[in-house]
Amino acid sequence: MRNFFYIFSLLLTYPNIFAQVCKFTQDHNGNIGSTHISCGYNFSNSCINITANFPTIRDSYSYASPTQIAYNPTGNYTTGIALNANDDDRFIKKLHLSEIGGNEPFLFHFYGNVKSSLTISSNGIISFNDNINEGDFSTPDSNNNSLPSAFLPQDAIYGIFQDLEFNSANDSEIYYHVMGGYPCRKLIINYYKARLSGTELTSTFQIVLNERTGIIEINVESKPLADSSMRFKNALIGINGNVLNGIAAPNRNTGNWQATNESYVFTPNGNNLSPTNYRWTNSLNNSVTNNATVNVCNIVPSIYTATANYTNQNNEVFNVKQNHPITFDNAYPIPKNHSEVICNTTTSLQQSQFYSSINTQTNHSLFRYKFYLSNADAINNNSNFIPFNQNLQANQTYYVRIENANDSSCFKIATLQLLSQVEFPSHVEICDAGNDRTQEYVLSGLNCLLFENIPNVTNIRYYLDNQTNPSTTAILTSNTRIRVEYNLPGCPNIMSNEIRVNFIDGPVLLMQELNFESFEEIFDIITNNNPIYEEPYIWEEELEESGIVLSNASDITSIKAFLTLEDAINNRNPQNRLKEGLEENNYEYDLYLRIENESKDCRGFCYNILPVNARVKFKRIILNINDNDPDDPIDFL
């Protein structure tokens, strides 16, 4: 099974096809698609509840009979990127859908499969056959076939399949562009004043693909009757899969016909697909909730992303997602707790010098700051706050009430700790990759544990046991004693107390190494876009399908492959393609699997490394369609 990850737009009725509703998240106040926090925002017990409600969609393995609607073209027929079309009976341009439309790929599914590319023909066809390339022959003749037919171009859309030609000496041209906002964009392919072959008659029409719905629109401004001098006079509007399931527009299933100002819509009508396995993540990478509703209580500017799965008839899993940004008004306080070491107790500590440290907002004239010695006084807005012109003291914790300057009821509390020295824990927790209570470690990895909230520390050095010289790496055990020396402004060479190590278990594996063999089991499909000697490979899926169990633990979150042990340890350069070994090495080579679980230290998720003795040889298939031969009958691609 292969997973295709994509977001879709909501399927509506034909008249509203250009005004699709694409926001599927809503907070408890009814704000759709995003939440903006201002002083009047109504919280739910100091939190925000955001619910995802993805709709049921239709599988595209089949389409309803196309419907003719009122003429409704999308934009102008000369809008978009010109292909500089100057050809006849050729595929002119290949579009890789991951490369168009901005930061998010434009993904479109057709007859139950997600498509990675399409190729535009001079004869009014767009083909989803990945093996067709620019310059390949495109037949101009339907040979009197009508849909459904195995003798017509398959896996294709016929805007108007007819014998056309383009010449740079006239105004005939093909344009394409993407319009609309993610995830409800449209890919429009405009055929403008295409010449009917050998004549001065012109045909103008467009093919419109709706992002991730499978909906196809075909709009025809003009299509004249074919001239009697033309060799191939038939024309066809329709779509064609690859198992005799093509359908044509009413009264447009081959023949010599003319049309003006017509529009047709092709809509999937497969099984209803309902969302499952809801999951929320956020841009802060500190929350995961496996429910349709997420309860946000750590409220800061962020983007929460809802994800749900859909499984189609082919057991392909579609990951559907929607972003829900949380933004703030400039006059709404965004507190952050702050600790700072003030080792020079004679330093003057003005209240205003800490405003930027305790409030994320940058325009401090919009706020009033009140420093208290107790949290209760700050919450209750008591009058015993520190006078505005009074300096603060080291070795003191302050509770700062940050108020909107015009509304004292709109406030948040930040904690400010002013310390005379760094307070270190007695133990630090680190991941134990081998679960042997011994870990080779780069000691600078402890910085995020010991100095996370100390912004003004410099020149950090680590000493092990009774050593007098600092170390940069060490083999840590439960008995290792660590001291850290550091500098603060005005106070160099401060030495910590002794710190011990506690280990966090990594995944427990069922084997010490894995012998992995794939000998002529996988096809190496070689095309212009898929290089030789490697194929896409998702280890979690392939191991599961092969019945290989690496661990009985239920908290495994990911399995990634690396070419070197160093890369695996540092989580660097993961391999998402399986490579063939060298023939002179009997197709054998080494891999390293990094298996991660849900536990983590400040450097990331805990892991274990499994060496892999790999032996990989592919079966080879070379696909390259470049049919320039003038044989008769003409080939159908």
PDB file of all heavy atoms in Angstrom, residues 449-461:
ATOM      1  N   LEU A 449      19.525  21.428  28.520  1.00  0.00           N
ATOM      2  CA  LEU A 449      18.939  21.005  29.797  1.00  0.00           C
ATOM      3  C   LEU A 449      19.284  21.954  30.932  1.00  0.00           C
ATOM      4  O   LEU A 449      18.460  22.209  31.819  1.00  0.00           O
ATOM      5  CB  LEU A 449      19.440  19.590  30.153  1.00  0.00           C
ATOM      6  CG  LEU A 449      18.951  18.435  29.274  1.00  0.00           C
ATOM      7  CD1 LEU A 449      19.736  17.173  29.587  1.00  0.00           C
ATOM      8  CD2 LEU A 449      17.464  18.193  29.495  1.00  0.00           C
ATOM      9  N   LEU A 450      20.497  22.489  30.917  1.00  0.00           N
ATOM     10  CA  LEU A 450      20.987  23.257  32.065  1.00  0.00           C
ATOM     11  C   LEU A 450      20.851  24.764  31.906  1.00  0.00           C
ATOM     12  O   LEU A 450      20.743  25.490  32.903  1.00  0.00           O
ATOM     13  CB  LEU A 450      22.463  22.909  32.316  1.00  0.00           C
ATOM     14  CG  LEU A 450      22.752  21.433  32.614  1.00  0.00           C
ATOM     15  CD1 LEU A 450      24.245  21.221  32.770  1.00  0.00           C
ATOM     16  CD2 LEU A 450      22.008  20.976  33.859  1.00  0.00           C
ATOM     17  N   PHE A 451      20.853  25.257  30.653  1.00  0.00           N
ATOM     18  CA  PHE A 451      20.881  26.709  30.444  1.00  0.00           C
ATOM     19  C   PHE A 451      19.750  27.187  29.541  1.00  0.00           C
ATOM     20  O   PHE A 451      19.850  28.254  28.935  1.00  0.00           O
ATOM     21  CB  PHE A 451      22.225  27.115  29.829  1.00  0.00           C
ATOM     22  CG  PHE A 451      23.411  26.834  30.700  1.00  0.00           C
ATOM     23  CD1 PHE A 451      24.201  25.714  30.490  1.00  0.00           C
ATOM     24  CD2 PHE A 451      23.728  27.679  31.751  1.00  0.00           C
ATOM     25  CE1 PHE A 451      25.300  25.451  31.288  1.00  0.00           C
ATOM     26  CE2 PHE A 451      24.827  27.432  32.561  1.00  0.00           C
ATOM     27  CZ  PHE A 451      25.612  26.306  32.342  1.00  0.00           C
ATOM     28  N   GLU A 452      18.663  26.427  29.467  1.00  0.00           N
ATOM     29  CA  GLU A 452      17.588  26.750  28.533  1.00  0.00           C
ATOM     30  C   GLU A 452      17.021  28.148  28.765  1.00  0.00           C
ATOM     31  O   GLU A 452      16.720  28.882  27.835  1.00  0.00           O
ATOM     32  CB  GLU A 452      16.472  25.711  28.646  1.00  0.00           C
ATOM     33  CG  GLU A 452      15.303  25.969  27.711  1.00  0.00           C
ATOM     34  CD  GLU A 452      14.207  24.931  27.860  1.00  0.00           C
ATOM     35  OE1 GLU A 452      14.282  24.113  28.796  1.00  0.00           O
ATOM     36  OE2 GLU A 452      13.275  24.945  27.036  1.00  0.00           O
ATOM     37  N   ASN A 453      16.874  28.546  30.022  1.00  0.00           N
ATOM     38  CA  ASN A 453      16.259  29.834  30.346  1.00  0.00           C
ATOM     39  C   ASN A 453      17.265  30.880  30.810  1.00  0.00           C
ATOM     40  O   ASN A 453      16.890  31.862  31.448  1.00  0.00           O
ATOM     41  CB  ASN A 453      15.181  29.639  31.419  1.00  0.00           C
ATOM     42  CG  ASN A 453      14.044  28.764  30.934  1.00  0.00           C
ATOM     43  OD1 ASN A 453      13.552  28.945  29.827  1.00  0.00           O
ATOM     44  ND2 ASN A 453      13.640  27.796  31.753  1.00  0.00           N
ATOM     45  N   ILE A 454      18.551  30.663  30.527  1.00  0.00           N
ATOM     46  CA  ILE A 454      19.600  31.607  30.938  1.00  0.00           C
ATOM     47  C   ILE A 454      20.202  32.209  29.678  1.00  0.00           C
ATOM     48  O   ILE A 454      21.105  31.644  29.063  1.00  0.00           O
ATOM     49  CB  ILE A 454      20.685  30.914  31.778  1.00  0.00           C
ATOM     50  CG1 ILE A 454      20.066  30.095  32.901  1.00  0.00           C
ATOM     51  CG2 ILE A 454      21.656  31.944  32.334  1.00  0.00           C
ATOM     52  CD1 ILE A 454      19.261  30.905  33.893  1.00  0.00           C
ATOM     53  N   PRO A 455      19.711  33.372  29.218  1.00  0.00           N
ATOM     54  CA  PRO A 455      20.136  33.902  27.922  1.00  0.00           C
ATOM     55  C   PRO A 455      21.532  34.517  27.921  1.00  0.00           C
ATOM     56  O   PRO A 455      22.115  34.673  26.858  1.00  0.00           O
ATOM     57  CB  PRO A 455      19.075  34.963  27.626  1.00  0.00           C
ATOM     58  CG  PRO A 455      18.621  35.429  28.974  1.00  0.00           C
ATOM     59  CD  PRO A 455      18.681  34.212  29.857  1.00  0.00           C
ATOM     60  N   ASN A 456      22.067  34.894  29.086  1.00  0.00           N
ATOM     61  CA  ASN A 456      23.307  35.663  29.102  1.00  0.00           C
ATOM     62  C   ASN A 456      24.512  34.848  29.543  1.00  0.00           C
ATOM     63  O   ASN A 456      25.520  35.398  29.971  1.00  0.00           O
ATOM     64  CB  ASN A 456      23.156  36.897  29.991  1.00  0.00           C
ATOM     65  CG  ASN A 456      22.697  36.535  31.410  1.00  0.00           C
ATOM     66  OD1 ASN A 456      22.224  35.418  31.653  1.00  0.00           O
ATOM     67  ND2 ASN A 456      22.832  37.475  32.343  1.00  0.00           N
ATOM     68  N   VAL A 457      24.454  33.539  29.412  1.00  0.00           N
ATOM     69  CA  VAL A 457      25.571  32.685  29.800  1.00  0.00           C
ATOM     70  C   VAL A 457      26.503  32.485  28.612  1.00  0.00           C
ATOM     71  O   VAL A 457      26.069  32.414  27.464  1.00  0.00           O
ATOM     72  CB  VAL A 457      25.061  31.324  30.335  1.00  0.00           C
ATOM     73  CG1 VAL A 457      24.355  30.544  29.244  1.00  0.00           C
ATOM     74  CG2 VAL A 457      26.194  30.523  30.940  1.00  0.00           C
ATOM     75  N   THR A 458      27.829  32.423  28.872  1.00  0.00           N
ATOM     76  CA  THR A 458      28.826  32.212  27.819  1.00  0.00           C
ATOM     77  C   THR A 458      29.905  31.263  28.328  1.00  0.00           C
ATOM     78  O   THR A 458      30.000  30.975  29.530  1.00  0.00           O
ATOM     79  CB  THR A 458      29.470  33.543  27.388  1.00  0.00           C
ATOM     80  OG1 THR A 458      30.090  34.162  28.537  1.00  0.00           O
ATOM     81  CG2 THR A 458      28.439  34.485  26.791  1.00  0.00           C
ATOM     82  N   ASN A 459      30.736  30.788  27.375  1.00  0.00           N
ATOM     83  CA  ASN A 459      31.938  29.997  27.678  1.00  0.00           C
ATOM     84  C   ASN A 459      31.628  28.823  28.619  1.00  0.00           C
ATOM     85  O   ASN A 459      32.188  28.707  29.714  1.00  0.00           O
ATOM     86  CB  ASN A 459      33.028  30.900  28.281  1.00  0.00           C
ATOM     87  CG  ASN A 459      34.398  30.230  28.264  1.00  0.00           C
ATOM     88  OD1 ASN A 459      34.624  29.286  27.510  1.00  0.00           O
ATOM     89  ND2 ASN A 459      35.306  30.725  29.108  1.00  0.00           N
ATOM     90  N   ILE A 460      30.767  27.938  28.165  1.00  0.00           N
ATOM     91  CA  ILE A 460      30.357  26.784  28.980  1.00  0.00           C
ATOM     92  C   ILE A 460      31.395  25.671  28.837  1.00  0.00           C
ATOM     93  O   ILE A 460      31.744  25.265  27.728  1.00  0.00           O
ATOM     94  CB  ILE A 460      28.965  26.292  28.541  1.00  0.00           C
ATOM     95  CG1 ILE A 460      27.930  27.424  28.704  1.00  0.00           C
ATOM     96  CG2 ILE A 460      28.550  25.066  29.322  1.00  0.00           C
ATOM     97  CD1 ILE A 460      26.580  27.112  28.108  1.00  0.00           C
ATOM     98  N   ARG A 461      31.878  25.139  29.974  1.00  0.00           N
ATOM     99  CA  ARG A 461      32.857  24.046  29.985  1.00  0.00           C
ATOM    100  C   ARG A 461      32.382  22.957  30.924  1.00  0.00           C
ATOM    101  O   ARG A 461      31.804  23.231  31.985  1.00  0.00           O
ATOM    102  CB  ARG A 461      34.230  24.528  30.466  1.00  0.00           C
ATOM    103  CG  ARG A 461      34.926  25.522  29.550  1.00  0.00           C
ATOM    104  CD  ARG A 461      34.648  26.968  29.921  1.00  0.00           C
ATOM    105  NE  ARG A 461      35.286  27.382  31.147  1.00  0.00           N
ATOM    106  CZ  ARG A 461      34.948  28.453  31.870  1.00  0.00           C
ATOM    107  NH1 ARG A 461      33.954  29.237  31.462  1.00  0.00           N
ATOM    108  NH2 ARG A 461      35.590  28.757  32.973  1.00  0.00           N
TER     109      ARG A 461
END
